[in-house]
Amino acid sequence: MEVTDQQKLGVGLGGFGVFFLLLGVLLLFDKGLLAIGNLFCIAGFICCIGIERTIRFFAQPERLKGTCCFFGGIAIVLLGWPVIGMIVEAYGFVALFGGFFPMAINFLRCVPVVGTILALPGISGVCDTIVGE
């Protein structure tokens, strides 16, 4: 399977989104950086999987609560309450993408440096709980 230019653009936008979100949190929840990070992450997600599949993903009935919290958190950040907005958005993120966490942790355990960190005593217990082992 070949990666298209649009998917490469989506990964880049998502990376910039994560960077701006982390920078916004580090700079004491700067709402401008958090808003830019959110928009870049959403644009990257759309570029990676397409508009139609994105709409289908967020509109699934079992993911509706997570979708409302995620986009509601973004709206709260844009309205000027960044800490509350990020908490609501984080809950929505976990509700939407929680099913992918075990697969992501198992993949990260195979990465050389990250796998060593995930094997540390305190961290391995948390990872085993998330994965369900």
Side-chain angles (χ1 to χ4, degrees), residues 10-95:
V11 170
L13 286 172
F16 276 121
V18 169
F19 172 74
F20 279 110
L21 284 172
L22 289 175
L23 191 62
V25 169
L26 286 175
L27 293 175
L28 302 175
F29 292 96
D30 181 59
K31 66 180 179 181
L33 291 173
L34 293 174
I36 291 171
N38 284 326
L39 294 175
F40 276 160
C41 284
I42 293 171
F45 193 71
I46 290 171
C47 285
C48 282
I49 68 171
I51 293 173
E52 185 177 323
R53 290 179 68 192
T54 302
I55 292 171
R56 272 191 277 147
F57 176 79
F58 285 113
Q60 291 177 358
E62 63 271 9
R63 292 193 173 127
L64 201 55
K65 183 170 65 170
T67 300
C68 290
C69 286
F70 184 72
F71 288 112
I74 292 172
I76 292 170
V77 167
L78 292 174
L79 289 174
W81 295 307
V83 176
I84 297 169
M86 287 304 292
I87 292 170
V88 172
E89 187 177 338
Y91 173 76
F93 182 83
V94 170

